[in-house]
Amino acid sequence: MIKFFRHIRHSLINENRTKKYLLYAVGEIILVVIGILIALQINNWNELNKNQKEELKLLEEMHRNLTTDFEDCLWNINQQKQLKASNQEVLFHLEQKTSLTDSLKHHYGNLIYSTTQRRNMATYDHLKSRGINLISDDSLRTHITQVYSERYYFIEKMELEYDNPYQLQTLIPLINKNIVINTNTSTAEPFDVQRLYVDHEFKGALRMNIKIREKMMRHYISLKNDLEDLIIHIHSEIEQPNQSNQSKDD
């Protein structure tokens, strides 16, 4: 093909047909430019297609990770409810000076401990290294960033700087001082229940722990709602290519 165009060009020059040669040269330049533009367009399309496939794969993985984190958050909420209930039962028992029962021994064994939210950051970290703009939808990109860099950070801060220090520095020392724990049955009972009836420091610690359980529960419920919204948002984005393909098949 190149030899053919070269032959035409030489013929026009030899025949001294300058005007036609110039028109031909311009036409040849236009064809070259069109060829370059087509090649660039194909390359851009291939790159876009590659990015879309990578985005879809990443969103599917993130969807799975968030679903696991969501289930862990539900467990944390339930665990916080149980911890709060046990602290309330023991506090009522001490304030009303009721008899120590097997049921109360279970609650005495469930006064301490807390929860740690699962935060699977691997996919988000990969997205940041790849470039957050890989997520093509602006609202989804913002949504993902808010959950991973703000909501997860906040719940971790509450666990490490608010809940855990109270457990370690205040409640556990009081438990060790006043309660004997049966590690085989996960139950516990006071060394001296009569003395504990009038131990205002211990009862005050339980009241504070109840408030902390309530506060942590609210934060976990808020996180649960945020995770659920993001899971739905990602699922909707994943389904769009499938719906588009189905429309083409129809």
Side-chain angles (χ1 to χ4, degrees):
M1 183 62 73
I2 295 175
K3 290 183 178 180
F4 173 74
F5 284 118
R6 187 180 299 162
H7 174 72
I8 295 176
R9 185 168 63 249
H10 288 166
S11 296
L12 292 173
I13 293 173
N14 292 334
E15 294 174 11
N16 200 25
R17 297 163 69 180
T18 306
K19 184 176 181 181
K20 288 187 176 182
Y21 169 73
L22 290 175
L23 290 174
Y24 169 80
V26 171
E28 190 175 8
I29 291 171
I30 292 173
L31 287 175
V32 171
V33 171
I34 291 173
I36 293 172
L37 291 175
I38 291 173
L40 288 173
Q41 185 64 30
I42 292 173
N43 183 66
N44 289 339
W45 182 86
N46 288 336
E47 187 65 24
L48 178 62
N49 188 48
K50 177 184 175 183
N51 288 342
Q52 287 175 340
K53 289 181 178 179
E54 186 179 358
E55 178 188 7
L56 181 60
K57 181 180 179 181
L58 185 144
L59 288 176
E60 289 173 341
E61 183 178 353
M62 184 174 287
H63 187 275
R64 289 191 295 270
N65 292 342
L66 286 168
T67 300
T68 303
D69 291 356
F70 176 78
E71 292 170 354
D72 185 65
C73 191
L74 292 178
W75 187 91
N76 289 337
I77 293 169
N78 183 61
Q79 183 68 10
Q80 290 290 335
K81 287 179 180 178
Q82 293 181 28
L83 289 166
K84 176 188 172 184
S86 290
N87 278 264
Q88 288 175 322
E89 289 291 335
V90 171
L91 180 60
F92 180 83
H93 151 69
L94 293 177
E95 289 182 330
Q96 300 300 317
K97 300 180 180 179
T98 61
S99 300
L100 182 64
T101 63
D102 289 340
S103 175
L104 277 169
K105 290 179 181 179
H106 162 76
H107 291 302
Y108 268 107
N110 198 40
L111 292 178
I112 54 175
Y113 310 118
S114 188
T115 53
T116 301
Q117 174 60 40
R118 176 190 178 96
R119 293 175 285 271
N120 194 327
M121 303 292 292
T123 307
Y124 182 64
D125 289 341
H126 173 68
L127 174 61
K128 288 194 297 182
S129 66
R130 177 63 178 79
I132 195 73
N133 287 329
L134 180 65
I135 305 301
S136 54
D137 185 87
D138 292 342
S139 64
L140 179 57
R141 187 166 59 246
T142 301
H143 200 170
I144 290 171
T145 302
Q146 286 175 340
V147 169
Y148 277 96
S149 64
E150 296 176 15
R151 296 300 296 128
Y152 272 164
Y153 171 77
F154 177 76
I155 200 71
E156 181 181 29
K157 185 179 179 68
M158 292 301 298
E159 290 170 348
L160 297 179
E161 299 182 12
Y162 179 66
D163 188 7
N164 290 356
Y166 184 77
Q167 298 285 319
L168 295 171
Q169 298 169 17
T170 301
L171 192 59
I172 290 178
L174 286 173
I175 294 292
N176 290 335
K177 178 182 176 182
N178 295 283
I179 305 297
V180 56
I181 298 175
N182 188 329
T183 56
N184 294 325
T185 61
S186 298
T187 60
E189 57 185 288
F191 288 115
D192 184 349
V193 69
Q194 297 298 325
R195 183 173 61 81
L196 211 55
Y197 284 149
V198 293
D199 191 328
H200 297 296
E201 181 184 14
F202 188 83
K203 289 188 286 186
L206 293 183
R207 291 190 191 95
M208 185 61 188
N209 200 33
I210 291 169
K211 291 184 179 298
I212 292 175
R213 297 309 116 228
E214 291 172 344
K215 189 168 186 176
M216 292 303 299
M217 208 183 312
R218 288 197 299 270
H219 290 315
Y220 281 124
I221 290 172
S222 177
L223 177 63
K224 175 190 76 72
N225 294 335
D226 290 336
L227 290 174
E228 188 173 23
D229 289 344
L230 181 54
I231 288 169
I232 293 172
H233 199 165
I234 291 176
H235 178 74
S236 176
E237 188 71 13
I238 290 172
E239 287 299 305
Q240 285 186 10
N242 295 332
Q243 294 172 356
S244 177
N245 292 335
Q246 288 176 359
S247 299
K248 290 179 181 179
D249 293 338
D250 295 341

